[in-house]
Amino acid sequence: MGQCAVSYLSAQEGIELVAKAVKGDDLSALIHDYKADVVVDLTRPEAAYQNALTIIAAGARPVIGTTGIREEDIIKLQTKCRSEKRGGIIAPNFSISAVLIMKFAAELVRHLPAVEIIELHHDKKKDAPSGTAIKTAQMISEARKEARLAAPKDPTTLEHYPGSRGGKCDDVPIHSIRLPGFLASQEVIFGSQGETLSLRHNSISRDAFMPGITLACQRVMDLTELVYGLEKLL
Amino acid sequence: MGQCAVSYLSAQEGIELVAKAVKGDDLSALIHDYKADVVVDLTRPEAAYQNALTIIAAGARPVIGTTGIREEDIIKLQTKCRSEKRGGIIAPNFSISAVLIMKFAAELVRHLPAVEIIELHHDKKKDAPSGTAIKTAQMISEARKEARLAAPKDPTTLEHYPGSRGGKCDDVPIHSIRLPGFLASQEVIFGSQGETLSLRHNSISRDAFMPGITLACQRVMDLTELVYGLEKLL
Amino acid sequence: MGQCAVSYLSAQEGIELVAKAVKGDDLSALIHDYKADVVVDLTRPEAAYQNALTIIAAGARPVIGTTGIREEDIIKLQTKCRSEKRGGIIAPNFSISAVLIMKFAAELVRHLPAVEIIELHHDKKKDAPSGTAIKTAQMISEARKEARLAAPKDPTTLEHYPGSRGGKCDDVPIHSIRLPGFLASQEVIFGSQGETLSLRHNSISRDAFMPGITLACQRVMDLTELVYGLEKLL
Amino acid sequence: MGQCAVSYLSAQEGIELVAKAVKGDDLSALIHDYKADVVVDLTRPEAAYQNALTIIAAGARPVIGTTGIREEDIIKLQTKCRSEKRGGIIAPNFSISAVLIMKFAAELVRHLPAVEIIELHHDKKKDAPSGTAIKTAQMISEARKEARLAAPKDPTTLEHYPGSRGGKCDDVPIHSIRLPGFLASQEVIFGSQGETLSLRHNSISRDAFMPGITLACQRVMDLTELVYGLEKLL
C-alpha cells in the first residue's frame, strides 16, 4: 500500500515526493530536512495518533488512512490543528466511490426508506460486517431518523436457519459474503413499490485508494483545520 | 395463478383447454365428461395429495405445482402411477430458470467449492430463506460431498452484529433480502482465486411459471411414471 | 396505467378521488362539477397539450405523465400557469428511482468522469436507446462539461462487429438490451482506478410510477408555476 | 503472468518446478537436461506454434495459453501428438469460470433462446468485442441451431444512436463496455416470459488463470493426444 502510494503520488502533477519514511526513521527530522508540506501515513493503526502529533508538531500536514484512532484522540488532534490553523485529514476509507456511496445512500433513504446492505469481501477477512458497511448503515439510520421515517418492519416470522435475515445494525440489515475472488464490494439496495434502486461499489485493487489520497494531499494545503472523513472534501 | 395458466395454456399449440374446475367441483366427473388427458392443479397444498389420487383414479395425468405433499405421499402416488404406467409430474417450482440454476449450481460446485447464496424476495414473504434457496443449498452440499470436497472454513472470527454471515444450510451460507420491488430473485455466487462466477435469476411476474407448466403438460403424455421436480424434464 | 392510478390514489390519505374521465368526456365540465383541485392525465401524448390547456382554464392543476409535449408548448403552458399563479407538473417519467439515478449520475460524473450506460427493456420496445437513457446521458454530458472534464477517449481501435461499443449520445456510450423478462432497467457504470461504482434501477411493474404520481398530486397544490420533471419536487 | 505462474505452480502439491526458460534459452536442451514432463508456455503468440513443435520433439507435453495459433497448425500439432500418444493442451483461456460459463450458456440457450452478452473490460483494451465474448456467441449460436431454435427477431425499428443495440455476432448481440476499474468481466443474459437468468463472470486479477493452468499440468500427463480448450478437461 505504501509502495503503491509512492509510485502513484510521484506521478501526479503538482505533487513532489521529497522523502519516504520507514519504521524507525525520525519522522520529525525528515519533515524538517526535506521541508515536507504533507505527510501521508498509511501504516499501523496503533502508531497513527502518535505520528499525527509528530507531523503537526514538525509543521507539516497529516494525511492519515486509518480506522484506528479513538474519537477522543481525533478531537485532540483537531483542537491542535485549529489552534495552529493547520490543515489535516484522517480518513477511515480513501476510496472516493465508497465514500460517495455512503453519502448517496443517506440521501436516498429519505425518498426510499426500505433498504438493506450486502457487502462482499475476500475470504481472509476476519470481521463481519465490514467497517464500511457499518458506517453506511449508521449514516442511513441517522438520515432516516432525521427525515422522521420509520424503518420498515421485518416481515419474517419464520427463520428456518438463524442469521438468514442478516445482522441488524441500527435497523439496517447487513449481509456479509466472504469468498475468494472478491477484494471489497458493497451493494446498498433500496426497494419501493414495483422497483428497486441499487448502489454498487466494486474494488479490485488497492489502487482504488490512490485518487482519494491524491485529492487529500492537494486539498489539505488549503485547509485550516483537521477534517475526519474523505466526504468532507467531496 | 390459475387464471394466468388458463389463458396461457389455451394459447399453446397442441394443447386444448377442455374444462376449468373450481373448489367444490366434482373433479372425477369433469375428467370423465371432458375426456381430459392432463389435469393442472395449482391450488391449495392441503388438497394436492387428494386431488392427485382423484386425477389418477379417473384416468388422467396430474401436473401439480406444490411444495405441500409429504415425501411418503409422493412415494404412494409414484407407486400408483407406475402400476398403471401413467405419467405425472409434481413440482415445487415450475420456473425453468430457477430449476436450471439449481442444476448448474450443483455442477459448478465440483469445480468451484466456495459458494454462498443470496435470495431476494418481496416484503410480504414471511419465511426465510426461501424454499428455492434451501433446495439449492442442499443440492450444492450433496454435490460437494459426492465430489469429496470440503466446504471452505468461514474466516469470520468476529461478528459485530449476529447474523451478518447469513444462515448456514448444510454448510452453505444463505442471505435473505426482503424489500418491496422484488418478486423473487436468487443469486448463487462462486468464488475462486482472482475471479467469481454468479448465477442470477430474477422473476418479475408469475408468468414465469407458464412455460414450465406448458412443458410439463406436453411431456407428461409420454411419461409412464410420476416424476418429482421439473428438472427431470430438462 | 390509468386504472392502476385510480386504485392507488384512492387509497392515499389526504387525496380524494372525485371523478374518473374517459375519452369523450367533457373534462372541463367534470372539473367544475366535482370541484377538482388536481387532474391526473396519463393518456395519449397527442392529447396531453390540449388537456393541459383545458385543465388550467377550468381552474385545476394538471399532473401529466408524457414525453409527447413539444418544448414550445411546455413554455406556453408555463407562461399561462405563472400568470395565474397555478401549480402544475409535467413529467416524462414518474419513477422516483429513475429520476434520482439521473440526478446522482450527473453528480457522480464530476468525481468519476469515465461512464457508460446499459439499459435493459422488454422485447416489445421498438426504439433504442430508451428515453430515460438518452436523458441520463445528456445530463451526464452537461455536468461533465460544466466541471470542465473531458470524456475519456474510447480505446477501441478494432471493432470486430460494428455496434459492439454501443451508441454514443453526447460522448456517453449507451448499450440497449432487449429481452423478454425485463420491464425497464438501467445501469449507469462509473469506472475509476481499481474500482467501479454503479447505479442500477429495476422496474418490475407499472406500480413503480404510483408513488411519484402521488407525490406530484400532493406537491402541486403548493406550487405557483408549472414545473417540468419530477426531479424538481425531490 | 509467467512470474505469477512460477510462484503458483511451485506451491502446488504433485508439481515440481524444474526450470524457468526466458527468451533466447534453448528450450530443447532445458527439457532434456531437467527431464521436464510438462512445459508451460504463456509467452508470445507468434512463438507458440514453434515452441509447441520443440516441446513435443523434445519429449515433453505442451501446456500453452494463446489465441494465436492458426487452426491448420493446431491440426498439425494434434496429428503429431496422436502419433506419439503424447498429451498436450492449448487453450485460449485458462480461466475455469470463463470456460464453464461458455459451456453453460450453450446448454441454456436450448431452453431459453433469447440471449444477449455484455462484456466489460479495462480501458486499455483495443479490440471489441473480447475474444471470449465472440467465442461464447459462436457456441450459443451453434447450440441454438442444433436445437433448431430461431434467434428472436430484434424488435428495434428506430435506433436513435447507431450501435445502441450492440454488435451482432452470429445473431447474438454483444455489448462491450470499456472502463477503468474492470479487468475482465462478462455477463450472458437469457430472457424468458416473466424472468431472466444471468451468468456473470468477474476476473479481478491474472491469478484467475492459475487454477486452470495447474489443472492442465496435472491432466496432461494422462492424455494421449493434444486437446484444444480447457473445457475438454472439465
Side-chain angles (χ1 to χ4, degrees), chain D residues 6 19-27 30 39-40 43:
Chain D
V6 161
K20 294 180 274 183
V22 296
K23 205 181 159 175
D25 279 350
D26 181 343
L27 195 53
L30 278 171
V39 177
V40 177
T43 51

Side-chain angles (χ1 to χ4, degrees), chain D residues 9 36 46 80 96 101 122 172 174 177 182 184 203 226 234:
Chain D
L9 287 170
E46 64 279 12
K80 201 162 180 56
I96 292 178
I101 274 196
H122 54 88
V172 179
I174 306 181
I177 317 298
F182 286 110
S203 298
L226 182 144
L234 294 178

Side-chain angles (χ1 to χ4, degrees), chain D:
Chain D
M1 183 83 149
Q3 197 49 53
C4 177
V6 161
S7 31
Y8 191 83
L9 287 170
S10 305
Q12 301 305 308
E13 224 172 297
I15 295 182
E16 189 193 350
L17 185 79
V18 294
K20 294 180 274 183
V22 296
K23 205 181 159 175
D25 279 350
D26 181 343
L27 195 53
S28 191
L30 278 171
I31 292 170
H32 285 119
D33 291 356
Y34 290 96
K35 297 188 174 48
D37 289 316
V38 178
V39 177
V40 177
D41 178 14
L42 305 168
T43 51
R44 301 154 298 139
E46 64 279 12
Y49 175 62
Q50 199 50 58
N51 283 352
L53 283 179
T54 308
I55 293 163
I56 298 167
R61 294 157 194 83
V63 168
I64 299 179
T66 187
T67 53
I69 306 186
R70 291 177 307 166
E71 210 177 325
E72 64 224 64
D73 287 341
I74 290 170
I75 291 170
K76 279 189 215 160
L77 293 171
Q78 287 181 317
T79 308
K80 201 162 180 56
C81 277
R82 203 172 295 119
S83 77
E84 307 205 11
K85 294 197 194 306
R86 181 82 48 74
I89 174 151
I90 299 176
N93 194 333
F94 270 115
S95 154
I96 292 178
S97 293
V99 166
L100 287 171
I101 274 196
M102 286 186 224
K103 182 172 125 69
F104 283 171
E107 216 175 313
L108 276 171
V109 81
R110 295 162 182 274
H111 303 289
L112 306 165
V115 54
E116 305 204 5
I117 298 173
I118 301 171
E119 55 93 345
L120 315 97
H121 281 80
H122 54 88
D123 60 340
K124 301 283 177 275
K125 187 169 178 59
K126 295 201 180 320
D127 59 318
S130 68
T132 301
I134 292 172
K135 181 90 186 294
T136 307
Q138 289 167 342
M139 287 175 67
I140 284 172
S141 178
E142 207 174 308
R144 192 156 55 185
K145 273 179 213 147
E146 269 176 31
R148 294 170 188 235
L149 291 164
K153 217 180 142 291
D154 190 330
T156 315
T157 52
L158 172 60
E159 204 179 35
H160 298 292
Y161 297 93
S164 316
R165 288 288 293 120
K168 306 274 167 65
C169 168
D170 287 358
D171 275 334
V172 179
I174 306 181
H175 309 268
S176 302
I177 317 298
R178 295 291 173 267
L179 285 171
F182 286 110
L183 179 59
S185 293
Q186 176 165 301
E187 185 161 6
V188 188
I189 313 180
F190 296 85
S192 179
Q193 169 105 356
E195 61 182 351
T196 54
L197 192 163
S198 298
L199 308 174
R200 172 112 186 193
H201 175 230
N202 294 320
S203 298
I204 65 166
S205 122
R206 305 209 180 271
D207 290 1
F209 300 117
M210 297 307 133
I213 293 171
T214 306
L215 183 72
C217 289
Q218 292 164 334
R219 300 285 298 281
V220 77
M221 293 302 295
D222 299 325
L223 293 178
T224 54
E225 56 180 356
L226 182 144
V227 299
Y228 184 79
L230 187 61
E231 60 275 20
K232 299 282 163 44
L233 308 183
L234 294 178

